[in-house]
Amino acid sequence: MKTTRVTARLAGLAVGLALGVSALAVTRASAADTPQKGGDLIMLRAEQLRTLLPSQPTDNASIWPIEEVFNTLLVPKQDGSGVAPSLATSWEQSKDGLDWTFHLRHGVKFTNGQEMTSKDVKFSIEETSKPSSPFAFINAAITKVTTPDAYTVVIHTAKPFAPLPADMAIFANSIVPYDYAGMTPEAFSKKPIGTGPFMLKSWTPGVEATFERNPNYWDKGKPYLDSITFKVVADSNTRANEVQGGQAQIDEFPAFSSITALQNSGTAKIGTYASSRVDFLSINTQKKPFDNVDVRRAIASAVDKNTLVKVVLFGHGKPAGAYMSPSSWSHDPSITGYPYDLKAAKAFLAKSPVPDGFKATITVASGNSDQQTMAQIIQASLAKLGIKITIQTLDPSAAYDAKQNGNYDMGFSYDTTDIVDPDEIIRFTGSYDGGSHGLYSFYKNKEIDSWIAKAATLNDQDARQKIYFKVEKAWNEAQPLVPLFYTPELYAYASNVHDFHPFVTGNYNLADVWMSK
Amino acid sequence: MLRFLIRRLLLLIPVVVGVATLTFMLMHMTPGDPARTYLGDRASPQALAALRHQWGLDQPLWRQYLAFMGGLATGNLGQSMFFHDSIVSLLAIRLPPTLLLMAIATLFSILISVPLAVWMALSRGGAVDTAVRSFNSVAQGTPLFFTGAVLIAVFSLKLHWFPVAGYGKTFGEHVVSLILPSIAVALVIIPFLIRGLRGALIDALNSEFVNFAKAKGLSRRAIWTHYALRNAAIPGISILGIQVGYLAGGSLVIENVFAIPGMGTFLMKGILNRDFPVVQASALIFALLVIFVYLLTDIAYGLFDPRVRVK
Amino acid sequence: MTEVMIEKKRAGLMSRIGRTGRRRGNTHLLIGAVIVGLIVLMAICAPLLTRYGPIDQDFTATLQGPSWTHLLGTDNLGRDLWSRILFGARTDLFLATVAVAAPLVIGTAIGALSGYFGGWFDTIIMRIADIVVAFPFYVLVISLVFIMGNGVGSIFAAISIVSWVAYARIVRAETMVLSSTDFVDALKVGGLGSGRIVFRHLVPNVVSQAIVYAMSDIVANIGVIVTLSYFGMGIVPPTPDWGSMMADGQPFFAGGYYGLMVVPAAAVIVTSFGLSLVGDGLANVLRVKR
C-alpha cells in the first residue's frame, strides 16, 4: 500500500539548483567491480523515521530502515518474479494446501547474542496479526503458527492461500526476538534488536538516524558499508544540492522535473528502476455525474496519457492500460485503456445524462508540483468537452482526508505493492473492501470481489492469471479510475556508490551497496 | 528596574494564554485526522480508535483544552504524537540551532550595518550613500527563499566555500553551516537597521548639542563615541528587536531551504502531520522568543538612554 | 520608563524607513512612481501586450528559450513566460494592495480610539496587539490556509488579522501626543463630541504616518504572497502568480532554464524596489517625521 502520502512543497519543494549527473537510466557502475569494505553512506529523505517496531509502520520512511535492521523469512526477488530464501532456507506447502512449513537457517544470531529460533518467528508473526497492527490484514488468512522444533515453523491457514510465501517477505513479518527480549514494545522500537545487516547506533527523532554494520551478520562478508545515516531533508531542491555538493550520497525520490538538470552535470547519477507504482486519476464514483460509466469513459478518453508521460515524467514512464503494474505477472498487456480521442470522448459524454458537460473540482495536495501540473493539463483538455474543472489545493493531510472520506470529485492517487504477489494490490485498488475503497473510487463490484477472493485460493499461477485478466478487463470497462502511467522509481546518487538497485517492491537492500574511494 | 521587570513578566501571562488558546483553536479547526495520517489506508477502525484514545483525541474538545492548559501551567508540554518522544526533549534538540541562527544573523547585521551607517552619515548624498540605499531597497524586496537559493548556488555549489545545507555535528561545524543562512536572514534585517541608524546619526550630528560640543572644541572622536553613536543605539536596538522578533517566525522559511533541524522545520512538520502537541509547543516557544527579544530591547533602552533610566 | 514611552518609540520606529534629504525626496518619488506606474500599466494592459493567454498550453513548445515568438521563452507546459509575468502582476499587485486597505482602515480607527480614550479600552486593545505580534505569523497563515483552503481569501484574512496592529500602534502614539495638546482641549471646550473629535479632527492629522507605512506594507505583503505561493500554500493554479512560478521554475534552474525562476524573482524585486522608492518619497512630501 504505502499510501498516497505526498510530500508538501514546504516539506519538499520541487528540485534543485544545479545538480549533476552523467548518464541516465539504470546505470550501474561498471568500473572497479570488486566491492570494497568501508564507507559511511548518507541517504536523504523527505520524511522522518517514526518507529523501528516492525508491526507498526505504514510509511516508507520507517519501513525501509526496518528492512536494514531486521530480516524476514523470505525476501522478494529483485525483479519481483517471486521470493527467495532469507532466514528460512526452504519452505513447502502441505498436500491439502493448508499448512506451510518453513525451515530456518541455523546459527543466526540477534545483535544481543541470542540465537534466532522458531519461538521468535512465532512471536513475530503473532505480533503483526494482532488487530492493532495496521498490517494485520496481511496475516488474516493465518489461523495458527506452530513450532515442532527450534528450526521449524508451520503456518496454518483456513483455506489454501497461495500468497503466503510472499506475505512472509514483507517487513511487517520481520523477525524480532521473543517477547522483544524482555523489553516493552515502546522501548524496543527505540532500541531494536534484529538479525539484519545493520544495527541502530544513534537516532535523533525527526533529524537523522545512524545504523552501523552488524559485525556478526549471518551473510558472511556483508554488509560492505561501515554505516548508513538516514537524514531528513524536507526540501527536494536542497536534497539534490546536497548530493551534488558531496554532502550526501543518495537522494530518495528526486522530482522528475529535475532529471534534465541532473543529467547536465557530472557529480551525481540518476537511477530509474522498474517499480510496481501505477498513477491514477481518482474519480469519486459515489458522486453524480461520476456514477455514470459513460462520464468516466469520456474523461478517460480526454486524458492524454502520452502528454502526461512527456510533461510530468519527462518520458520516463509508460502510459497505463490495465490497472495492475507490468512488473507483476497479473498484468494483462492486451488492455490498453481508453486512447486519447476527443471525438470518442464527446460521443461517450453525449450518451451520458450530462451531454453538454458539467462543473467539478480536482483536488490536489499543496506543494505537489507533479499533481498541479497534471491537474492543469487535464483541466485544459476536459474544458474541450464542456467540463469545467476548478483546481482545489488542500494541504497533503487534508487532501488525504478528503479522499478517504469520499469528500472530493477527482484527485490523484497511486499504488505500489509491498509483496511480490499481486493479491494485495489487486484488492487494494480493485475492491471496495481492499483497504482504500478501490483507491478512493468507492466503486463496488461484487463480481470482481468474488473473482479476486477465488484467485487467492488457487495454487496454479496460470489459473490465477486467467482470473486476474478477467478482473482487469471488467475493471477497465467500468473505468472507476483512470490509470495514467506506470511510473519508474527514481533515485539520484553519488557516482562512487555502487550496486544500489531498489527492488520492484520499493525496498533496497543496502547490505549489497558499497562505495569506492 | 526590578519592578519594571516584574510588571513586564506579569504582562506575559495573558499573552502566553492568548497564544496557547489561539493555537489550540486553529489546530483543532484544521481538517485532517492525525490518527488517519499516521496509520494510513489499511488501518482498521479499531486501530484508529485505539490511537485516538491514546492521544486523547476522543475526549470532548473542552476537556482536551483544559488538559493542555493544565499541562502548560505545570510545565508539561506533553508527548509528540509522531516522534514518540516528550516535547521537552525534542525542543532540546530543535531550539539550539534556531537560537544560534538568530544570534549569528544578529551579529552579522550589526557588524555590517553600523560601519555602513556611519559612512553614509558622513558622506550624505555621496556615492556610497546612494549605492547602499539602492541596495537596501533591492534587498528589502527580495524574498528570503530566493536569497537562500542564490547563496547556495554561488557559494556552495560553484565556489565550494560552505556546506550546501545541514547543521554539522560539532559546534564549529554548526557555525560554518549557519553562515550562509545567517547572511540570508541578515539581508532582511540590514536595510531596516541601516536606515534607522543613518537617520538617527544624522539627527544627532545636526543637533544643537553637537554644534555646541564642536564649538567647545571637543574632538570628533569624542563627539562620535560619546554622543552620536550612543544616541543612534536606541533606535538601532528597537529596530533590531522588532526585526529579530519577526525573523523568529521567518526561520520556518530559511530552515527549510538550508535543511536546518531547528524550530521552523519542527513546526512545519508538526503542522503537516497534525501533531497537535508539537505545533502548540513550538508556537508558544516562538511567541516567547518574540516577547523575550522585546523585553531585552526594553532593558537596553534603559542602559543606553539616560533619559529613560528607571528610578 | 513607562509603557507609553516604549509603545511610542516602537510605533514611531516601525515606520522609520529612512530619513531622506528633503531635496531628493521628490526624485525618489518620481523614479518610484515611474517604475510602479509602468508595472501597473503593464498589468492593466496585459492582454494588449501579448498574443498568448497566461494559461494556454502548447506541448509542442515546452521549455523554450527567449525568441521573437516567445519573448521570455516558455515553461514546462509550453506557456508563454512573458504573458504569465504580466498576468501574474495583476494577481500579486492587486492582492497586495487590497490586503493593505482593510488593515489600514481598521488599524487607524482602533489606534485613534485607543489613543484618544486610553483607559481599559486601550489596555485591552494593546494586550490583543501583543498577542497578535507575538503569535508566529506563519503558524497563523498556514493554519488559516489549511482551514479555509488555498487561495486569495485565506491570504487576505491572514494578512489582515496581523497587520492592523502596526497601523494601530502608529496612529495611537500620534493620537496620544495630539490629545495632550491645546488643539484637542480647544475642541473639547468647543463642545464637540468624542466621535467627531477623533474622526473629523484627529485622524486626518495622524493618518499620513499610516499611509507612508502602508507603502512599505505593500512590499511586505508581496513578500508574504510570493512566499506562500512558493511553498504551495498561496494562489491556486492555473492562475499565474510570481511565487508559484518561481517554485515551478526552480527544478529547471540547474538544467540551464534560468529564466523560469529568475524572471519572476526579478519581477518581484523590481516591483518592491519601485514601491519602496515611492514610500521614501512620499514620506518626504508629506513631511512625515520618521
Side-chain angles (χ1 to χ4, degrees):
Chain A
M1 87 177 151
K2 288 155 204 163
T3 56
T4 48
R5 192 162 294 117
V6 204
T7 322
R9 185 176 295 146
L10 234 199
L13 311 170
V15 163
L17 294 169
L19 244 261
V21 167
S22 51
L24 175 76
V26 196
T27 34
R28 231 190 292 166
S30 54
D33 279 337
T34 359
Q36 298 171 9
K37 278 232 169 193
D40 301 293
L41 184 114
I42 297 177
M43 188 154 188
L44 305 178
R45 38 190 18 211
E47 295 292 332
Q48 71 207 21
L49 167 64
R50 291 185 199 160
T51 174
L52 285 168
L53 196 65
S55 63
Q56 286 310 312
T58 57
D59 56 317
N60 287 336
S62 300
I63 292 171
W64 293 340
I66 281 175
E67 289 170 340
E68 305 304 327
V69 174
F70 300 97
N71 290 126
T72 40
L73 291 180
L74 308 173
V75 286
K77 286 184 185 161
Q78 198 182 314
D79 60 4
S81 63
V83 286
S86 180
L87 288 184
T89 49
S90 63
W91 64 99
E92 69 259 346
Q93 189 179 17
S94 64
K95 286 235 169 64
D96 60 5
L98 295 177
D99 300 337
W100 291 85
T101 306
F102 292 85
H103 302 282
L104 303 185
R105 193 177 292 277
H106 291 239
V108 175
K109 294 234 164 80
F110 285 106
T111 47
N112 66 352
Q114 196 183 318
E115 194 184 3
M116 189 270 310
T117 64
S118 56
K119 194 165 104 173
D120 306 305
V121 176
K122 176 176 159 70
F123 174 77
S124 305
I125 294 171
E126 284 172 353
E127 278 295 290
T128 297
S129 311
K130 286 181 180 168
S132 60
S133 163
F135 268 82
F137 71 92
I138 213 95
N139 291 351
I142 299 174
T143 50
K144 200 167 60 169
V145 181
T146 52
T147 54
D149 66 63
Y151 299 106
T152 311
V153 176
V154 183
I155 298 175
H156 308 270
T157 57
K159 277 191 247 170
F161 189 66
L164 193 102
D167 287 346
M168 287 303 120
I170 183 175
F171 74 93
N173 282 324
S174 289
I175 307 307
V176 298
Y178 175 74
D179 198 26
Y180 297 118
M183 285 190 258
T184 63
E186 188 75 352
F188 186 84
S189 75
K190 287 179 185 161
K191 289 206 163 74
I193 296 165
T195 58
F198 293 93
M199 47 197 201
L200 182 66
K201 186 182 172 201
S202 64
W203 179 6
T204 316
V207 180
E208 60 181 29
T210 300
F211 299 83
E212 61 186 349
R213 184 211 319 263
N214 173 1
N216 303 316
Y217 188 49
W218 54 266
D219 193 353
K220 293 289 168 235
K222 284 181 186 175
Y224 302 110
L225 297 169
D226 287 340
S227 77
I228 24 171
T229 300
F230 294 97
K231 209 171 129 191
V232 182
V233 176
D235 185 315
S236 70
N237 288 308
T238 309
R239 287 203 298 278
N241 286 341
E242 283 200 50
V243 171
Q244 199 211 344
Q247 254 176 269
Q249 281 68 47
I250 299 181
D251 168 11
E252 225 172 61
F253 302 140
F256 279 97
S257 48
S258 70
I259 296 181
T260 340
L262 289 158
Q263 282 170 303
N264 289 348
S265 58
T267 41
K269 295 183 284 195
I270 275 274
T272 51
Y273 306 91
S275 89
S276 64
R277 173 166 165 168
V278 186
D279 276 72
F280 297 91
L281 174 66
S282 279
I283 301 174
N284 187 350
T285 62
Q286 287 171 314
K287 281 203 174 180
K288 278 191 189 313
F290 303 109
D291 55 340
N292 180 281
V293 65
D294 284 315
V295 170
R296 300 197 298 265
R297 286 174 180 158
I299 293 170
S301 311
V303 173
D304 185 355
K305 297 169 186 172
N306 283 308
T307 294
L308 290 177
V309 168
K310 185 186 152 201
V311 174
V312 179
L313 300 184
F314 293 82
H316 301 285
K318 286 207 179 82
Y323 83 92
M324 291 302 287
S325 157
S327 65
S328 164
W329 51 260
S330 63
H331 167 79
D332 183 351
S334 71
I335 297 172
T336 50
Y338 294 77
Y340 178 55
D341 181 350
L342 284 176
K343 262 190 202 147
K346 279 176 190 153
F348 279 127
L349 204 61
K351 280 193 280 180
S352 79
V354 280
D356 302 320
F358 53 93
K359 281 183 187 165
T361 60
I362 292 187
T363 303
V364 300
S366 63
N368 186 316
S369 55
D370 289 344
Q371 286 192 5
Q372 291 187 359
T373 307
M374 292 194 282
Q376 292 177 65
I377 295 172
I378 291 171
Q379 180 186 42
S381 50
L382 289 183
K384 292 171 193 159
L385 302 184
I387 303 176
K388 286 203 182 76
I389 297 291
T390 312
I391 298 173
Q392 178 197 29
T393 3
L394 292 177
D395 84 279
S397 180
Y400 179 52
D401 222 46
K403 281 195 288 189
Q404 277 282 345
N405 298 325
N407 193 10
Y408 79 107
D409 291 347
M410 284 190 269
F412 297 98
S413 313
Y414 67 86
D415 63 31
T416 62
T417 184
D418 298 299
I419 62 173
V420 288
D421 194 278
D423 180 60
E424 180 197 17
I425 220 67
I426 203 152
R427 284 174 200 269
F428 186 67
T429 301
S431 165
Y432 186 83
D433 299 317
S436 63
H437 306 302
L439 209 60
Y440 322 113
S441 68
F442 296 86
Y443 174 70
K444 271 183 217 169
N445 186 324
K446 285 211 181 100
E447 231 176 3
I448 287 183
D449 289 357
S450 69
W451 290 337
I452 292 175
K454 187 178 172 223
T457 64
L458 301 177
N459 282 325
D460 177 25
Q461 189 164 312
D462 289 340
R464 284 180 73 192
Q465 193 187 45
K466 268 193 197 113
I467 298 179
Y468 287 149
F469 281 11
K470 213 160 68 171
V471 170
E472 285 161 58
K473 202 164 205 150
W475 189 95
N476 184 57
E477 295 282 312
Q479 201 74 181
L481 313 159
V482 182
L484 298 175
F485 37 75
Y486 304 123
T487 323
E489 212 157 343
L490 191 65
Y491 284 86
Y493 57 100
S495 39
N496 64 338
V497 173
H498 308 284
D499 287 338
F500 177 71
H501 31 81
F503 297 4
V504 159
T505 38
N507 40 350
Y508 33 72
N509 187 0
L510 293 176
D512 293 334
V513 173
W514 56 282
M515 286 162 71
S516 52
K517 296 278 144 40
Chain B
M1 192 73 189
L2 192 67
R3 271 187 53 195
F4 165 75
L5 270 181
I6 291 172
R7 191 172 134 71
R8 295 291 297 185
L9 286 174
L10 283 177
L11 281 173
L12 286 187
I13 296 171
V15 177
V16 168
V17 172
V19 168
T21 309
L22 195 57
T23 322
F24 183 88
M25 273 164 45
L26 284 173
M27 278 325 285
H28 284 270
M29 275 161 73
T30 51
D33 172 7
R36 184 56 93 172
T37 309
Y38 189 89
L39 288 177
D41 292 303
R42 276 310 191 14
S44 62
Q46 299 95 305
L48 284 168
L51 197 59
R52 284 195 196 108
H53 178 72
Q54 190 196 324
W55 286 342
L57 298 174
D58 52 350
Q59 304 265 350
L61 209 55
W62 62 269
R63 200 168 263 175
Q64 290 184 49
Y65 176 71
L66 285 186
F68 164 61
M69 294 306 279
L72 205 61
T74 56
N76 176 10
L77 293 169
Q79 281 263 327
S80 157
M81 287 152 39
F82 281 66
F83 293 96
H84 302 283
D85 219 331
S86 82
I87 298 286
V88 174
S89 65
L90 290 168
L91 287 178
I93 300 167
R94 297 299 195 136
L95 201 49
T98 301
L99 291 180
L100 192 58
L101 173 69
M102 284 169 66
I104 299 178
T106 309
L107 191 69
F108 278 157
S109 309
I110 296 171
L111 287 181
I112 295 170
S113 302
V114 173
L116 276 178
V118 170
W119 195 355
M120 289 165 78
L122 287 175
S123 62
R124 275 179 78 183
V128 177
D129 195 21
T130 314
V132 175
R133 285 154 57 78
S134 309
F135 174 79
N136 272 353
S137 294
V138 172
Q140 214 185 329
T142 311
L144 189 52
F145 62 86
F146 185 70
T147 316
V150 169
L151 289 176
I152 294 176
V154 175
F155 294 102
S156 301
L157 293 175
K158 266 263 169 338
L159 300 172
H160 303 286
W161 289 358
F162 296 101
V164 176
Y167 186 56
K169 291 218 182 306
T170 61
F171 184 74
E173 284 175 17
H174 296 337
V175 173
V176 174
S177 313
L178 289 181
I179 287 181
L180 286 187
S182 300
I183 291 176
V185 167
L187 282 174
V188 179
I189 303 180
I190 287 171
F192 292 94
L193 197 54
I194 287 186
R195 282 176 173 179
L197 286 174
R198 178 184 172 277
L201 283 172
I202 289 172
D203 274 355
L205 290 178
N206 287 343
S207 70
E208 285 167 17
F209 177 87
V210 168
N211 288 334
F212 177 70
K214 272 184 195 158
K216 227 179 109 186
L218 241 73
S219 72
R220 256 176 93 90
R221 193 190 165 134
I223 292 172
W224 273 94
T225 49
H226 286 289
Y227 190 72
L229 277 177
R230 200 183 170 107
N231 206 48
I234 300 153
I237 288 165
S238 316
I239 293 170
L240 209 55
I242 291 166
Q243 289 301 317
V244 171
Y246 281 147
L247 283 169
S251 63
L252 206 111
V253 173
I254 204 70
E255 285 179 10
N256 188 64
V257 173
F258 284 93
I260 300 163
M263 291 299 299
T265 40
F266 186 53
L267 173 63
M268 194 57 224
K269 208 74 228 170
I271 298 181
L272 287 171
N273 284 338
R274 304 289 188 277
D275 195 338
F276 299 144
V278 166
V279 181
Q280 281 152 2
S282 34
L284 212 56
I285 293 284
F286 274 121
L288 286 174
L289 270 178
V290 173
I291 296 169
F292 181 67
V293 170
Y294 280 7
L295 195 61
L296 281 185
T297 314
D298 292 347
I299 294 171
Y301 282 149
L303 292 179
F304 278 91
D305 190 345
R307 284 169 303 175
V308 284
R309 191 153 289 157
V310 186
K311 327 94 211 180
Chain C
M1 112 177 107
T2 62
E3 289 299 309
V4 178
M5 283 182 71
I6 292 168
E7 208 58 72
K8 179 161 159 40
K9 269 183 197 301
R10 199 171 276 151
L13 287 161
M14 244 176 194
S15 66
R16 183 187 281 275
I17 293 161
R19 191 181 161 74
T20 320
R22 300 268 190 265
R23 271 164 284 118
R24 277 175 319 168
N26 289 329
T27 338
H28 279 207
L29 187 59
L30 190 71
I31 300 174
V34 168
I35 296 176
V36 176
L38 267 179
I39 294 170
V40 170
L41 202 68
M42 278 159 67
I44 293 171
C45 304
L48 304 176
L49 296 173
T50 171
R51 293 185 280 143
Y52 303 96
I55 61 168
D56 294 350
Q57 303 164 359
D58 178 1
F59 298 113
T60 60
T62 56
L63 293 173
Q64 290 193 345
S67 67
W68 283 114
T69 35
H70 295 283
L71 283 179
L72 293 173
T74 59
D75 70 3
N76 56 326
L77 296 180
R79 296 177 297 197
D80 184 65
L81 191 56
W82 169 238
S83 166
R84 286 181 72 70
I85 288 283
L86 289 177
F87 282 90
R90 283 185 167 192
T91 319
D92 290 333
L93 271 182
F94 177 72
L95 186 54
T97 313
V98 169
V100 157
L104 176 68
V105 173
I106 298 168
T108 304
I110 292 180
L113 292 173
S114 192
Y116 180 77
F117 288 112
W120 61 267
F121 180 76
D122 183 46
T123 311
I124 291 176
I125 292 292
M126 284 302 111
R127 290 294 80 78
I128 294 176
D130 280 350
I131 295 173
V132 172
V133 170
F135 197 83
F137 178 62
Y138 280 97
V139 175
L140 183 76
V141 180
I142 294 168
S143 324
L144 280 181
V145 169
F146 284 6
I147 294 168
M148 299 167 61
N150 279 44
V152 175
S154 336
I155 299 177
F156 179 74
I159 290 177
S160 300
I161 289 176
V162 175
S163 43
W164 66 269
V165 172
Y167 295 99
R169 282 193 163 153
I170 291 168
V171 171
R172 173 178 174 268
E174 292 291 314
T175 310
M176 280 163 90
V177 174
L178 215 57
S179 303
S180 59
T181 59
D182 300 341
F183 170 56
V184 171
D185 287 341
L187 291 175
K188 278 184 191 158
V189 172
L192 267 80
S194 297
R196 206 177 154 140
I197 294 179
V198 171
F199 289 106
R200 293 291 293 276
H201 296 281
L202 278 180
V203 167
N205 274 300
V206 298
V207 79
S208 54
Q209 277 266 14
I211 288 176
V212 168
Y213 178 76
M215 294 314 291
S216 63
D217 207 21
I218 298 182
V219 177
N221 285 351
I222 293 179
V224 169
I225 296 165
V226 167
T227 303
L228 277 178
S229 298
Y230 174 78
F231 284 124
M233 290 186 286
I235 309 290
V236 179
T239 307
D241 132 87
W242 294 339
S244 47
M245 285 171 73
M246 288 167 82
D248 293 343
Q250 198 173 2
F252 300 101
F253 190 88
Y257 309 105
Y258 305 111
L260 290 179
M261 185 177 189
V262 173
V263 172
V268 172
I269 295 171
V270 170
T271 308
S272 307
F273 181 69
L275 283 168
S276 22
L277 288 187
V278 171
D280 271 8
L282 218 56
N284 291 304
V285 171
L286 294 174
R287 295 277 186 270
V288 171
K289 163 101 169 93
R290 320 170 106 200

